[in-house]
Amino acid sequence: MNDTVEVEKPAKKKGKWTRRAFIGAGVAAGGALVVGVAVRPGNPVDSLKDIVAGGQGEELINSWVKIGADNVITAIVPHCEMGQGANSTIAQMLADEMDADWEKVRVMDAPADGNYVSKDALRVFAAPGFKGGETMEPTYDGLFTQISKLAGGYVTGGSSSVRSTGQNGMRIAGAAAKEMLVAAAAAEWSVPAAEITTDKSMLAHAKSGKSEPFAKFAAAAATQELPRAPKLKTSKEYKLMGRPMQRTDIPAKVNGTANFGIDGAPEGQALKYAAVKAAPIVGSRVKSMDAATAKGMPGVLQILNMGDFVAVVADGYWQAQQALNSIKTSYEKTDIDALNSNKMFANFGKALDEAGDDGGDSKASEGDVLGVMEGAAKKVEAEYRVPFLAHATMEPMNCTAWVRDGKCDIWTGTQVPLWARSAAAEGAGVGDDDVTMHSAFLGGGFGRRLEPDYVTQAARVAKATGYPVKLIWSREEDTAHDHYRPADISRFKGGLDKEGKLTSWNNVHCSTDEPAESPLVEFYDIPNVSVRNAEVEWPLKLGAWRSVGHSQHGFFVESFVDEAAHAAGKDPVEFRRELLAKSPRHLNVLNGAAKMAGWGSELPEGHGRGIALVRSFNSIVAEVAEVDMTKGMPRVTKVFCCVDAGFAMNPDGLSAQMESGIVYGLTAALYDEITLKDGAVQQSNFHDYRMMRMDDAPDIAVQIINGAPDNLGGAGEPGLPPAAPALANAIFAASGKRIRELPIAKHFA
Amino acid sequence: MRNIALPVLLAASVGLVSCGSAPEEPIEQIIVSEPGGAAAGVKQAAATAPAADDLVSQGKAAFAVCAACHSIEAGAAAGPGPNLNGVIGRKAGTAEGFGFTDAMKASGVTWTEAELDSFMTDPAAKVAGTSMTAGAVNDPEARKAITAYLASLTQ
Amino acid sequence: MTKFQVNGKPVELDMDPATPILWAVREQLEMTGTKFGCGIAQCGACTMHLDGKPIRSCSTPLSQAEGKSITTIEGIAPEDGTLSKVQQAWISEQVPQCGYCQSGQIMSATALLKTNPKPSDEQINSAMAGNVCRCGMYGRIRKAIKVAAGIEESSTQETAA
């Protein structure tokens, strides 16, 4: 490998990256595998020092870890904290590799600066099947560099933080940092590096009795050559990894001091507040605005028709919202003014009719599906349907912006700080580098905060008015102007042989598939498979919704497998066991969930159990739901969840994510749909877009299998996809009623 | 019009290609108060009358708590809760234009001032399964005033 | 002019008495621990105590606070710098995820335990049904309430950084 070839830096052209440093972002053998960051002095580390090393006597030894004069180690984490607890877990991984004193480890958000582009996060997010390592293909490298440049990287999504940044970046950074500290101490003490031991942020040399804190050698370590292949701990050597450490962000979240986007403000400046109302139909524009009443209302400062939305800026948010409510607007016509949900689904049906048994865009093709189906002993057919869904984060979209003197400051919660920065730059009419981003906790992300539309709005309003403006969407605005989980229809035909074995699988659906493996069933041993998708038009903006395509396909696939099991006259667990004969990890997870639930044991009359298994984001999750049908509307009483995420870095954190994904999934399965009438979204707030509450939430038990310690899976999303099909299958078991369309509540009104 | 669900990252990067175009300026901008002028302060609504002495007026003011969900003008559309105009004397779960829970429909309650007072004290205790999960009015004086106000609208 | 107490301190606010207490406290008093979620008393993120009883401050006008005492999340801990039992249990059970709803959850739970020191599961469910947690931490919230009430043992997590 040539060390001197220069490669363009991902985000901006300032500074030069050597090929080793850049490839070091992905290849262990070529140097440290530190994600998207140069890791040795002389590279962008120097420019980062100004930003990150704020305190006296602090030395930035690489872009991931900072050691202060007080021996406090700060993990600089390029992901946002939106509840998943990943930043804390990543710090735990760093601290373990460094042999750091956990009591003195802190976590800090990376600044929204191009130097923190997490190329590896992009890789895991966009191409989950890709394995990094020594033989990185130039084409992949080229592709991801390109995406990094365009997209600005620094993404929190795809359940990728721990398994990409943590596993492929932070651990190696930690190990490298430790080796550099050891090398510096060895030089100072004139002893062999191999004789130096590390523990609790201390370096020691037993023979000479020397012992000093890491901080003592921070400066000297920064001048050391980066280890080409820092040695990582094996799972047996873990001290912190694999333990249920308390999260570092929680104390601030119990006393009101946690700083969310909505709490941000420029110091010493009187904020003004903006309420906004966007044109109700995608693509429509404000034709006229009658603000006669609003003008005279208390506190109102400015009223703006921005073309795509109307805004009122006032002394207080409530005043702004009241004034906004009084404004009468009319909108220009669009070609979807007459569209409603039924018409849209009819269009989807037509597209699927056209695709038929072998048309559309092929996603997977094995064997002879049509021929084997023809000769099947028994055929099973079903069509499933799911609606659009909103994210409904607890914290509505909001952004505070202040534009003055060609500069823009923003305070907001976002999953993509670099895109948000560009979005603000666009709105404020300044360059990306003129935007200062003040990061904050996210009051929920779930994919919604991958879209910085609200940031652009705030910058535009701030620029037009000259005020520092806190722009907050009402809940109604948040519900009606989301980037929605796509609605979809999925059709299946399955063929069973004489032994009741599934020998052919033919599926066609509408949604494009993100991630690509979401509709695929390669872990099931089915010899003839065809999976296709038919192109359709969507009348709403689409976005990533927790677990993305798995949220639909998990329901479709696992409902259909259940129907096939019943058609074969087999127990749904037994039927899946046969299909998983060649997938031992999946089988373990299935068996784990079945055992937890006491599968097969008696339940009271009117109660039922259902099982579902989905692999997503490189984790395998099976869930058994128990349902009580005796009171009319189904009530989920218990969910048993078995998860194999490779290795649980923080078992309590993984468990919490499973619990969270299950409730999020059940909420959607039971209650929610976004529907269209006359081209616009009908739902507005929690009374018509219902949330699961404590009195209808099930008891949840989680069991963890560490099935592949070196092949980590995600946590934030994989708990969700099995929840809906497990519940639907339980309803069938309890009542004989097969749910093929979500939400479930509409079948029990 | 089309909106294709490209892989999220690519979709977003395509969006960024348009970066650099001039941001859209306001089409209409009504400036009520100039920035940098005298501090606007917090203005008091001119129409706000001092606290009324009679119970119905107090109830009208206290009803602001309820107004986020309940309309009160005769014939106004229901919001998250039913229209409360004429609620006194009405059988629970029968107001038009609102999707009541089975629990409310089956409650057998006919709304009197006393029944409303008891419902507002603890909605879930009075009608288990009601969708009014957050409507409790803790202050007995406020409840009394609100029911008086509602009763005044029952003609 | 509305006069009332917030966390034991007297305040006077010269603003429209129809303004919801939430915005008066967040914007005028600059206490941002209480959150805005829905604006129609459906989610509980804005829960405060008015004379000790839980209210949804997004839908309660300032006029209702006249002469009364408001407690917010910032005023729930003892003055000696420790945390309340409810707050401690929230940490030991690792309840919060995104954390946005938790000020409201803690205020509702605190009010419940004040009137009912040993609540049943049913009573907990009923008292907490007005508080939405989009991260779905209901099991942990229920457990934490029982830990705070001394009904159940705390989970033993390792120490925080």
Side-chain angles (χ1 to χ4, degrees):
Chain A
M1 190 175 295
N2 187 337
D3 283 358
T4 61
V5 177
E6 288 172 6
V7 173
E8 197 178 53
K9 201 172 131 188
K12 34 182 193 181
K13 286 188 176 175
K14 208 172 18 174
K16 289 174 179 175
W17 286 37
T18 67
R19 183 164 178 80
R20 190 175 75 178
F22 189 67
I23 294 297
V27 185
L33 187 62
V34 176
V35 180
V37 188
V39 287
R40 46 176 211 190
N43 275 321
V45 171
D46 283 342
S47 65
L48 286 177
K49 270 184 190 171
D50 303 335
I51 303 167
V52 180
Q56 278 286 317
E58 289 177 336
E59 190 71 24
L60 189 74
I61 62 168
N62 65 40
S63 297
W64 300 104
V65 52
K66 183 176 73 164
I67 301 173
D70 51 2
N71 218 27
V72 167
I73 292 171
T74 306
I76 302 149
V77 180
H79 291 288
C80 315
E81 183 48 64
M82 53 186 180
Q84 79 283 35
N87 288 1
S88 193
T89 303
I90 292 171
Q92 194 178 331
M93 296 163 86
L94 170 83
D96 200 343
E97 286 295 353
M98 279 193 84
D99 287 327
D101 181 355
W102 179 240
E103 300 288 330
K104 291 186 176 174
V105 174
R106 303 287 177 265
V107 182
M108 176 184 158
D109 285 353
D113 180 286
N115 287 322
Y116 284 94
V117 168
S118 178
K119 190 158 70 78
D120 207 57
L122 288 169
R123 190 190 313 282
V124 173
F125 197 49
F130 175 73
K131 286 187 178 65
E134 295 179 39
T135 56
M136 190 184 292
E137 295 285 335
T139 48
Y140 268 103
D141 202 36
L143 169 68
F144 284 99
T145 306
Q146 198 62 24
I147 294 175
S148 298
K149 272 200 250 177
L150 278 171
Y154 193 163
V155 173
T156 305
S159 298
S160 66
S161 306
V162 168
R163 63 201 171 105
S164 68
T165 303
Q167 185 76 345
N168 297 337
M170 200 56 98
R171 285 187 62 190
I172 289 156
K178 184 176 76 178
E179 287 183 19
M180 290 156 84
L181 288 163
V182 168
E188 170 81 18
W189 293 340
S190 302
V191 301
E195 291 180 5
I196 294 177
T197 57
T198 48
D199 187 38
K200 297 213 173 211
S201 301
M202 298 287 289
L203 294 146
H205 183 248
K207 277 189 207 164
S208 62
K210 288 195 165 78
S211 174
E212 295 281 1
F214 282 178
K216 175 93 195 288
F217 296 101
T223 65
Q224 299 292 322
E225 186 72 8
L226 181 85
R228 288 187 72 94
K231 192 174 172 299
L232 298 188
K233 290 184 176 179
T234 64
S235 53
K236 279 180 192 147
E237 293 169 311
Y238 292 172
K239 289 179 189 161
L240 297 172
M241 289 185 271
R243 281 167 59 183
M245 308 303 284
Q246 289 201 345
R247 284 170 47 175
T248 52
D249 58 318
I250 285 182
K253 290 177 176 175
V254 306
N255 64 10
T257 59
N259 187 53
F260 291 87
I262 202 169
D263 305 325
E267 253 175 70
Q269 282 294 320
L271 265 185
K272 304 302 174 191
Y273 295 83
V276 293
K277 184 170 170 38
I281 301 173
V282 173
S284 68
R285 293 179 57 84
V286 180
K287 193 167 151 193
S288 69
M289 164 177 99
D290 173 2
T293 310
K295 271 191 280 193
M297 289 175 72
V300 173
L301 301 169
Q302 295 203 10
I303 299 160
L304 304 131
N305 173 358
M306 301 297 292
D308 47 344
F309 67 96
V310 169
V312 174
V313 177
D315 286 322
Y317 176 70
W318 186 73
Q319 292 171 317
Q321 188 64 53
Q322 297 295 109
L324 182 70
N325 292 346
S326 77
I327 294 175
K328 294 182 185 73
T329 40
S330 66
Y331 302 97
E332 282 166 11
K333 286 206 173 312
T334 75
D335 46 9
I336 56 167
D337 280 2
L339 193 72
N340 60 41
S341 289
N342 287 343
K343 176 79 169 71
M344 183 197 71
F345 277 120
N347 292 342
F348 285 13
K350 259 184 246 161
L352 293 175
D353 289 344
E354 277 169 28
D357 284 339
D358 55 3
D361 191 5
S362 178
K363 301 290 175 173
S365 180
E366 295 273 341
D368 174 17
V369 170
L370 298 182
V372 173
M373 189 77 76
E374 192 66 39
K378 195 166 189 179
K379 290 172 194 164
V380 196
E381 284 188 37
E383 176 181 302
Y384 305 94
R385 181 187 289 200
V386 295
F388 288 113
L389 291 171
H391 296 80
T393 61
M394 286 305 292
E395 180 189 14
M397 296 306 107
N398 67 84
C399 176
T400 299
W402 189 18
V403 181
R404 78 282 177 221
D405 310 328
K407 303 271 183 198
C408 175
D409 279 64
I410 55 171
W411 292 258
T412 197
T414 171
Q415 291 174 248
V416 283
L418 295 175
W419 297 347
R421 195 172 67 144
S422 294
E426 190 186 353
V430 301
D432 281 13
D433 290 347
D434 298 318
V435 176
T436 303
M437 161 107 203
H438 305 265
S439 66
F441 285 129
L442 283 63
F446 313 120
R448 176 60 183 89
R449 287 185 160 92
L450 289 166
E451 309 283 350
D453 45 351
Y454 51 98
V455 174
T456 311
Q457 272 191 347
R460 285 170 65 193
V461 171
K463 180 174 195 267
T465 61
Y467 291 118
V469 171
K470 181 179 293 294
L471 180 146
I472 305 171
W473 287 17
S474 64
R475 175 59 58 189
E476 289 75 10
E477 191 73 3
D478 193 273
T479 306
H481 296 281
D482 202 340
H483 296 248
Y484 300 93
R485 195 287 301 271
D488 200 1
I489 297 178
S490 188
R491 291 179 181 170
F492 290 83
K493 288 183 182 176
L496 296 160
D497 67 11
K498 271 181 276 176
E499 281 78 45
K501 190 174 177 329
L502 204 45
T503 50
S504 64
W505 174 279
N506 198 348
N507 168 230
V508 60
H509 52 267
C510 298
S511 66
T512 55
D513 305 310
E514 164 67 22
E517 86 277 12
S518 57
L520 307 184
V521 289
E522 78 291 342
F523 48 90
Y524 283 141
D525 185 16
I526 305 168
N528 304 285
V529 173
S530 167
V531 177
R532 295 162 290 122
N533 95 290
E535 221 173 84
V536 294
E537 295 188 358
W538 272 284
L540 289 174
K541 290 178 187 163
L542 305 181
W545 187 92
R546 196 171 191 177
S547 84
V548 205
H550 291 287
S551 73
Q552 298 119 320
H553 294 297
F555 171 68
F556 300 150
V557 165
E558 284 300 286
S559 293
F560 188 66
V561 169
D562 211 68
E563 295 211 44
H566 288 288
K570 293 184 184 176
D571 172 81
V573 170
E574 196 47 49
F575 187 72
R576 284 179 177 79
R577 275 184 189 135
E578 291 170 13
L579 288 173
L580 292 173
K582 294 173 184 167
S583 303
R585 282 181 68 198
H586 298 70
L587 182 60
N588 269 347
V589 171
L590 180 85
N591 286 335
K595 192 174 175 203
M596 288 171 80
W599 187 266
S601 63
E602 280 291 308
L603 282 174
E605 184 67 29
H607 291 238
R609 274 189 202 102
I611 193 162
L613 176 139
V614 179
R615 67 86 188 79
S616 62
F617 306 97
N618 211 31
S619 290
I620 307 159
V621 181
E623 289 164 16
V624 174
E626 276 187 27
V627 69
D628 172 3
M629 298 295 291
T630 59
K631 298 189 177 71
M633 176 72 189
R635 174 167 164 67
V636 199
T637 54
K638 289 176 187 165
V639 175
F640 300 92
C641 168
C642 184
V643 51
D644 179 351
F647 183 88
M649 284 292 165
N650 182 335
D652 187 59
L654 178 59
S655 177
Q657 285 308 309
M658 292 299 116
E659 295 159 35
S660 176
I662 288 166
V663 172
Y664 206 94
L666 291 176
T667 303
L670 280 165
Y671 303 128
D672 291 328
E673 61 180 332
I674 289 292
T675 54
L676 288 168
K677 190 181 175 202
D678 300 335
V681 168
Q682 289 184 281
Q683 288 70 27
S684 62
N685 204 320
F686 291 134
H687 63 286
D688 54 12
Y689 195 76
R690 210 177 136 185
M691 296 293 109
M692 181 167 265
R693 292 166 186 271
M694 189 182 281
D695 55 356
D696 56 352
D699 290 332
I700 299 170
V702 178
Q703 183 182 308
I704 293 167
I705 296 175
N706 286 331
D710 296 322
N711 184 12
L712 300 190
E717 297 169 273
L720 188 149
L727 171 56
N729 295 342
I731 290 171
F732 180 79
S735 67
K737 189 177 170 94
R738 176 58 68 180
I739 303 290
R740 295 196 183 91
E741 183 188 0
L742 298 180
I744 289 165
K746 70 197 287 179
H747 306 287
F748 295 89
Chain B
M1 102 120 258
R2 285 180 59 83
N3 218 318
I4 302 173
L6 282 167
V8 180
L9 285 167
L10 296 175
S13 31
V14 168
L16 283 186
V17 172
S18 63
C19 275
S21 59
E24 195 176 347
E25 303 288 336
I27 289 166
E28 188 182 355
Q29 183 167 15
I30 301 168
I31 298 176
V32 181
S33 163
E34 284 289 344
V42 181
K43 291 176 192 165
Q44 179 136 356
T48 306
D53 292 335
D54 68 292
L55 204 55
V56 170
S57 302
Q58 282 172 15
K60 190 174 179 180
F63 189 77
V65 180
C66 321
C69 297
H70 295 281
S71 51
I72 192 71
E73 302 289 325
N83 185 326
L84 292 180
N85 191 283
V87 66
I88 302 286
R90 188 191 290 159
K91 199 167 169 304
T94 60
E96 276 177 33
F98 186 74
F100 286 96
T101 57
D102 291 342
M104 185 58 77
K105 283 188 260 182
S107 66
V109 171
T110 296
W111 295 117
T112 61
E113 289 191 47
E115 290 281 27
L116 277 174
D117 188 276
S118 129
F119 185 62
M120 278 190 278
T121 306
D122 189 348
K126 176 78 179 169
V127 181
T130 176
S131 59
M132 191 163 111
T133 51
V137 179
N138 293 312
D139 182 352
E141 295 302 316
R143 286 201 300 272
K144 201 169 148 196
I146 290 169
T147 50
Y149 170 58
L150 291 174
S152 76
L153 297 171
T154 304
Q155 266 94 40
Chain C
M1 191 72 69
T2 311
K3 294 182 185 179
F4 55 106
Q5 287 203 337
V6 175
N7 299 332
K9 295 193 183 81
V11 282
E12 290 183 19
L13 284 180
D14 181 18
M15 59 194 300
D16 185 345
T19 309
I21 295 171
L22 171 69
W23 299 109
V25 168
R26 283 185 57 89
E27 295 174 1
Q28 295 302 308
L29 305 179
E30 297 182 2
M31 295 166 64
T32 55
T34 309
K35 303 302 185 206
F36 165 62
C38 70
I40 58 167
Q42 286 284 307
C43 79
C46 65
T47 306
M48 295 176 184
H49 296 174
L50 183 63
D51 279 353
K53 289 178 179 153
I55 57 156
R56 311 300 177 204
S57 65
C58 74
S59 306
T60 308
L62 194 55
S63 56
Q64 296 282 308
E66 178 65 46
K68 293 185 179 166
S69 172
I70 285 173
T71 309
T72 69
I73 185 71
E74 289 92 346
I76 209 78
E79 283 184 10
D80 61 8
T82 59
L83 294 173
S84 75
K85 279 193 175 161
V86 171
Q87 289 172 310
Q88 288 172 28
W90 246 244
I91 292 176
S92 74
E93 303 316 307
Q94 294 281 287
V95 171
Q97 289 205 359
C98 89
Y100 193 79
C101 74
Q102 297 299 345
S103 295
Q105 303 278 2
I106 288 170
M107 296 310 286
S108 289
T110 302
L112 165 68
L113 293 181
K114 211 182 286 176
T115 54
N116 185 353
K118 304 280 173 201
S120 66
D121 275 20
E122 199 99 310
Q123 288 167 330
I124 294 174
N125 285 352
S126 166
M128 301 301 292
N131 289 79
V132 171
C133 173
R134 186 57 163 149
C135 301
M137 290 296 96
Y138 299 116
R140 287 176 186 242
I141 292 169
R142 194 189 294 121
K143 172 86 194 289
I145 290 173
K146 291 193 218 171
V147 169
I151 301 169
E152 280 188 16
E153 287 288 306
S154 159
S155 302
T156 47
Q157 244 89 32
E158 319 229 358
T159 40

